[in-house]
Amino acid sequence: MKRLFFVFAFIIPLVIHAQTIKTDVLVIGNGDAAYAASFQSFKSGVKTILLTQKEQLDLNKIAPTNKAFYQNFLKRETENAKSLETPKPKPDKKNRPKVTVTDSTLLLNVINNTPYTEIKRSGSGWEVKLTKDKSIKARILLLADNPKKLIAALKITTLNPAKPSPLNYNENTYRTTVASIASTGANFLSLYSLLIPNQENLLYIPAEQSEFGSAAGATAAYGAFYDIKTSLSNLKGIQGELLAYKHALMPFEDIKPTDSNWLAIQKVGITGIIKAELKQDKAYFKPEKEVTYNEIKEPVKEYYFKAQIWFDDHQNIPINLENTISMVCYVGNKSVDATKDALQKNWNKNYRFNSRYDLKKVLTRREFATIINEFLEPFDKVNVDKTGRVIR
């Protein structure tokens, strides 16, 4: 799929001629959250319509309080478009329906300055009435706007939006999350909290919640792409999609997307096998700090049955390269010699470690995370439930 060099000039209003317009995902809203959600939805490969009640976006007319968001958004998307370090995950060929490959720039249409009169169910999807004779039908509806009309359609009294929470390790919910992109501390949002109980194919985020627009857009796109109910969406699939576009799952202050080991650290970080140090509402991965036996023992055992035996047989040993290879090979049923050869070959060239390959060297958190991600793949191969509990 063609990567798009992001500029707002591509947002050209869709002229409404048809009585009924059909789309995969319909995003309704005027603010930052709606723009972020619609951009991520179409980048994830589904036909998306953004319906606004305002004139076409003009960067020169944006209020100073919002301009920083759009400038940061454009900068990040431009960097993402140029980045070749993180290939897009391969789709699940068994479950993926047959589709025609389409240039991503053709998947987003914007209908500006158009009010809507009603929201109602249409089969398993939604219909939004624009006028008496014209409407939009969508498989997935993502509302980033005043929920008044939606509340009336659902026949409820209130609608509680998903809210971010401070990162903590007292519960395992952090494993189901995406990080906030706001600079307000180590916050995260559980992707499951985006779903509205008993309401399929419907997502709601507050208009000002820009930092979670991308997560909502990816969640909506996943349901549409695989033609499944949003409640059945695969958590890891959505998280993997966000990672492919350099959206962090864990809010590590000291690990930037330009870091050569960013992807491995994000994947291992969200498993909790290596936990961040929390200080003054910030999360620090401390990539150059040496790994200790006590910090990894229980998390690794939680993910792998065989790790319990290995740790019982190896009490309080240094987590050097040799012992890590021993653990990885025992738990993952891998050849020790082949693993050593692969690590020595990739140590500086592919992993871009600054240290030299030394079996007696105690590993840093960066090195340990990269090795665990490469040879055990806990994020990719071990599932968690909605509470973040490991399913083995």
Side-chain angles (χ1 to χ4, degrees), residues 156-172:
I156 57 178
T157 58
T158 186
L159 190 60
N160 297 320
K163 295 181 179 179
S165 302
L167 175 63
N168 71 84
Y169 293 104
N170 296 327
E171 299 177 351
N172 293 322

Side-chain angles (χ1 to χ4, degrees), residues 242-256:
L242 291 166
L243 285 174
Y245 287 102
K246 293 288 187 178
H247 293 290
L249 303 182
M250 296 297 287
F252 297 139
E253 290 287 329
D254 50 351
I255 303 294
K256 304 303 179 184

